[in-house]
Amino acid sequence: MDVSEFDFHLPEELIAQSPPPRRADSRLMVLDRETGELEHRRFSDLTEYLRPGDVLVINDTRVRPARLIGMKKETGGRVEILLLKPLGEDRWEVLAKPARRLKPGSTILFGNGELQAVVEGESGVAGGRIVRLAYEAEDLEALLERLGEMPLPPYIRKRLEDPERYQTVYARAVGSAAAPTAGLHFTPELLEEIRDKGVDIASVTLHVGLGTFRPVTAERVEEHRMHAEYYEVGEAAAERIRSARKRGGRVVAVGTTSVRTLETVAGLHGEIVPAKGWTDIFIYPGYRFRAVDALITNFHLPRSTLLMLVSAFASRRQILAAYEEAVNQRYRFFSFGDAMLIL
């Protein structure tokens, strides 16, 4: 299957540069996979499509302020790194700009030198480096909160006034390099309304990593390799999901990260059980879903693995037709854009 089959025309002005004033005010396109019917609603209408007995599965990861801007100690030149994955003993996999200047032994200073990164070598991906962090502070996360910036995707060029708008209201487990953006539309009030309807809510964790920033460069879909990301499903979440299945409820996944977590566990164990580890699952048309019945997602980049996943959940024809309609109806795309519910 050619990657070009997942291309579509997107006017640049439809790429959302900032979140809506209120989270649940985003638009919601509803696609029925059986009939192909489309509806145009508001995200606050989501409860109308959920049923008592369903379980809503959310990703409770929290974005780390992982974008650090410093200077190379040897030359004073500006260097930017994005912390992607901890490797243990203060070693990290990072993306660096400009990476070509960072040879093994190079030192990058952040703040007043209170955080330093020593380059140990390349990570095996374009722009990737392995660094060892050095700091005197007791808590690295607190230090990053002070020195780091929110790692917004490169297509967002407008400064974010409130960093919490790039976090879900239920974000808890620090570790992502990007937000699970389908969850950005929820408010505490909407979640309470969902519970009041008799819908259970289960939290899983998948820390979003390099795969979000890495474009598909292969010409054939099957040749692309995903970057592994850490996931965790606890006992309480597994029990809620199994209980929903037993009572005939649907598993409604919030975002592609929740989908990848659930499908990884179901693929390994045959059902949803407590589990944790690293997943590089790549879902594209032809994949048979084992765990997910409905999906809430945003509108994704052309030729992206996320677009391929939703095209597997519905069909490539249905999704591209829905995206064409979204363009015609002036929906907002990508991280701060509007949402889609696929039933």
Side-chain angles (χ1 to χ4, degrees):
M1 186 178 299
D2 288 340
V3 172
S4 61
E5 295 181 49
F6 297 90
D7 209 351
F8 64 93
H9 172 66
L10 177 66
E12 187 174 351
E13 66 268 18
L14 296 185
I15 300 174
Q17 293 296 313
S18 58
R22 293 180 295 185
R23 292 175 184 262
D25 283 351
S26 298
R27 296 171 71 185
L28 177 69
M29 177 184 285
V30 183
L31 167 64
D32 186 314
R33 289 182 289 169
E34 291 188 4
T35 66
E37 180 182 354
L38 292 175
E39 293 184 72
H40 302 288
R41 305 292 297 270
R42 288 286 168 187
F43 197 83
S44 54
D45 300 327
L46 174 66
T47 315
E48 297 180 26
Y49 295 91
L50 302 177
R51 306 169 187 160
D54 288 347
V55 60
L56 189 76
V57 182
I58 59 178
N59 181 6
D60 67 4
T61 188
R62 184 171 178 83
V63 184
R64 175 183 281 119
R67 181 173 179 255
L68 292 163
I69 299 174
M71 67 176 183
K72 189 177 177 184
K73 182 178 180 180
E74 295 80 4
T75 64
R78 183 182 186 276
V79 176
E80 176 183 326
I81 68 170
L82 177 64
L83 301 176
L84 292 176
K85 183 168 70 175
L87 303 175
E89 299 181 341
D90 286 324
R91 298 174 69 247
W92 285 76
E93 179 181 1
V94 306
L95 283 182
K97 291 193 305 185
R100 66 183 182 278
R101 300 180 187 172
L102 298 179
K103 308 299 182 185
S106 298
T107 299
I108 311 163
L109 306 177
F110 304 100
N112 295 316
E114 53 195 315
L115 177 63
Q116 301 184 22
V118 180
V119 179
E120 294 189 342
E122 298 184 6
S123 68
V125 300
R129 293 292 185 270
I130 304 298
V131 304
R132 185 181 297 275
L133 299 182
Y135 51 94
E136 294 184 0
E138 292 185 7
D139 187 350
L140 175 61
E141 297 297 345
L143 187 60
L144 293 177
E145 286 288 342
R146 188 157 52 83
L147 298 181
E149 298 179 7
M150 203 57 69
L152 295 178
Y155 50 76
I156 295 178
R157 292 179 290 276
K158 187 175 179 180
R159 182 176 177 81
L160 183 62
E161 296 297 329
D162 179 8
E164 282 301 308
R165 292 305 306 272
Y166 195 58
Q167 306 278 15
T168 63
V169 296
Y170 45 75
R172 178 191 60 82
V174 177
S176 274
T181 55
L184 296 179
H185 308 281
F186 287 91
T187 64
E189 295 78 15
L190 181 56
L191 291 168
E192 190 62 33
E193 185 180 332
I194 288 169
R195 290 189 183 95
D196 288 344
K197 188 165 185 176
V199 176
D200 209 349
I201 298 178
S203 297
V204 301
T205 303
L206 184 137
H207 292 319
V208 186
L210 179 61
T212 293
F213 302 93
R214 186 183 180 194
V216 177
T217 56
E219 293 184 4
R220 302 282 297 173
V221 171
E222 299 82 356
E223 295 171 356
H224 180 71
R225 295 294 175 265
M226 296 289 285
H227 194 78
E229 296 166 314
Y230 180 80
Y231 71 89
E232 190 168 330
V233 178
E235 176 61 55
E239 179 56 35
R240 285 175 173 150
I241 294 166
R242 290 196 301 265
S243 295
R245 277 270 188 251
K246 289 176 183 176
R247 62 179 175 255
R250 299 171 300 175
V251 176
V252 182
V254 178
T256 58
T257 57
S258 297
V259 171
R260 295 180 64 239
T261 301
L262 296 176
E263 293 298 325
T264 293
V265 174
L268 290 172
H269 303 282
E271 62 176 335
I272 302 301
V273 298
K276 59 184 176 181
W278 294 84
T279 181
D280 61 357
I281 188 172
F282 180 20
I283 297 175
Y284 54 86
Y287 178 85
R288 183 176 67 85
F289 286 83
R290 299 171 174 84
V292 177
D293 302 303
L295 169 61
I296 299 166
T297 186
N298 278 21
F299 291 92
H300 303 296
L301 284 161
R303 304 169 72 102
S304 66
T305 60
L306 306 180
L307 180 60
M308 294 169 193
L309 185 152
V310 296
S311 296
F313 192 69
S315 71
R316 188 181 69 88
R317 179 186 59 79
Q318 283 183 324
I319 291 298
L320 290 181
Y323 273 48
E324 182 178 2
E325 176 70 3
V327 170
N328 291 337
Q329 295 293 328
R330 311 296 289 178
Y331 274 71
R332 288 157 45 96
F333 277 68
F334 307 162
S335 295
F336 288 138
D338 295 312
M340 187 178 193
L341 169 63
I342 307 176
L343 299 169

